[in-house]
Structure formats: C-alpha cells, structure tokens
Amino acid sequence: MRSTETKMKAVFVTELGEIEVLLDAKHAPITVKNFLRYVAAKAYDGGTFYRTVTTEPDNQPDKTIKIEVIQGGAREGFKAFPPIALERTHKTGIKHKDGVLSMARDTPDSATEAIFICVGDQPELDFGGKRNPDGQGFAAFGKVVRGMDVVKKIHKSHAKKQNLTPKIAIKKVIKK
C-alpha cells in the first residue's frame, strides 16, 4: 500500500451477492493494513459469515446491551496472523454507524481476522460503549458503499441463537 493511498475498496463476493466496502487507512491504518494482509493471503476466500446478532428475543437473551451485526471471517483451518493493537473509535473518529465494517475481538489488542458489519447505528460498540465490559470498543475501519441489501439478507438469514444455519459462504474478497 502506498503511503498516499488512504482510501481503497474491497469487495466481499458472497453466495448472496457482493458487499463493497470503502476502507479508511487514513484514520485506521493498523486495522486496514491487518485486513488487507488477510485479503492478500486469500484467508477470506472460502470463509463464511457465520453469526447474526439481532434484536429477536432469543438471539441475545443474556445481554442487557443489544446490538445488530453480522460477523464473518477466514476459511476454516487458516492460521491467523498475530493480533493487532486496538484502534479505538475516540482516536480514529470512525463510529459504529449503519454499514460500518469493524474488527471483532475479545480483549483489547486481540483482533485477528474476524470482522463484523453494523446493521443500524451501534454506539455501544464505540469507545466508552457498554457492549464489551472493558469499555474500549471495537476498531471500525471501513463502511459498506454497495451491498447493504446483501448485509440485510445475511442478517435476516436463518439462525440458531446467533449461529447462521447454514453459514453464508464468502467466495472471495478482492481489493479494488
């Protein structure tokens, strides 16, 4: 990636259609670089969207803070690269709004390849939000610019609890 190239696109080609995202390397350089390293390694080719988090009563029964996202990641068996530092939303300025692409994580500085896309605005995923008990939020790094209809189809697909059944195939991810 050239240092002058701060905005670029990637396309998730799924079995339900394409999702095109605009990546923001100017504000989230560590996270974009991490995502693109997985794209270059073809880690998402053959991966899946495997999780849908909805406001249906049985989807998040143990959570007081409800969110709406779809989550996906690399193909089964792909060995993840080392985790990256968390780029917090209060530093990047990229908030978890409708269509925002972000890195999934457990603890700060633990994100590898798993990504999620917000369905609707999700401020509880920003720094200071209450969805994760540590309050550090998640690393937003891009936004859907084409294919929110596909995101919504995935979000409404059949699931057992939060597990999509069947999972939605990611055929490949292409950097544009």
Side-chain angles (χ1 to χ4, degrees):
M1 181 171 70
R2 298 186 319 259
S3 59
T4 58
E5 191 175 17
T6 59
K7 295 225 181 203
M8 64 208 74
K9 292 180 181 176
V11 178
F12 289 82
V13 180
T14 79
E15 65 181 286
L16 296 181
E18 294 184 353
I19 303 167
E20 185 172 347
V21 293
L22 180 64
L23 307 173
D24 190 344
K26 178 179 180 183
H27 296 100
I30 295 167
T31 310
V32 168
K33 183 178 179 183
N34 179 65
F35 174 74
L36 290 175
R37 123 177 113 159
Y38 283 100
V39 171
K42 300 192 180 308
Y44 298 111
D45 299 7
T48 60
F49 280 100
Y50 51 82
R51 181 176 179 222
T52 183
V53 185
T54 70
T55 54
E56 296 296 317
D58 64 341
N59 189 270
Q60 304 176 69
D62 58 336
K63 299 288 186 185
T64 54
I65 304 297
K66 309 285 188 199
I67 61 169
E68 293 196 87
V69 301
I70 61 169
Q71 185 173 338
R75 69 180 172 276
E76 194 171 322
F78 186 87
K79 185 175 178 345
F81 298 119
I84 59 168
L86 175 61
E87 291 182 299
R88 292 159 177 83
T89 58
H90 73 293
K91 301 256 188 204
T92 66
I94 308 169
K95 303 296 185 189
H96 287 90
K97 301 278 189 185
D98 188 39
V100 163
L101 176 67
S102 192
M103 277 286 161
R105 68 169 184 86
D106 290 322
T107 59
D109 306 329
S110 68
T112 56
E113 47 63 54
I115 55 91
F116 65 88
I117 300 172
C118 295
V119 179
D121 294 352
Q122 306 300 322
E124 294 295 345
L125 299 174
D126 293 334
F127 180 83
K130 295 178 179 70
R131 177 59 181 211
N132 196 308
D134 62 31
Q136 298 301 298
F138 296 81
F141 66 101
K143 180 168 180 47
V144 174
V145 292
R146 181 175 58 84
M148 269 310 282
D149 59 325
V150 177
V151 171
K152 289 176 181 176
K153 278 185 212 171
I154 295 169
H155 189 242
K156 296 296 180 194
S157 293
H158 185 265
K160 289 185 180 178
K161 298 192 178 186
Q162 295 179 8
N163 300 312
L164 285 164
T165 53
K167 297 174 183 175
I168 307 300
I170 299 172
K171 296 177 181 178
K172 60 185 171 179
V173 177
I174 306 160
K175 180 185 170 196
K176 287 181 82 175

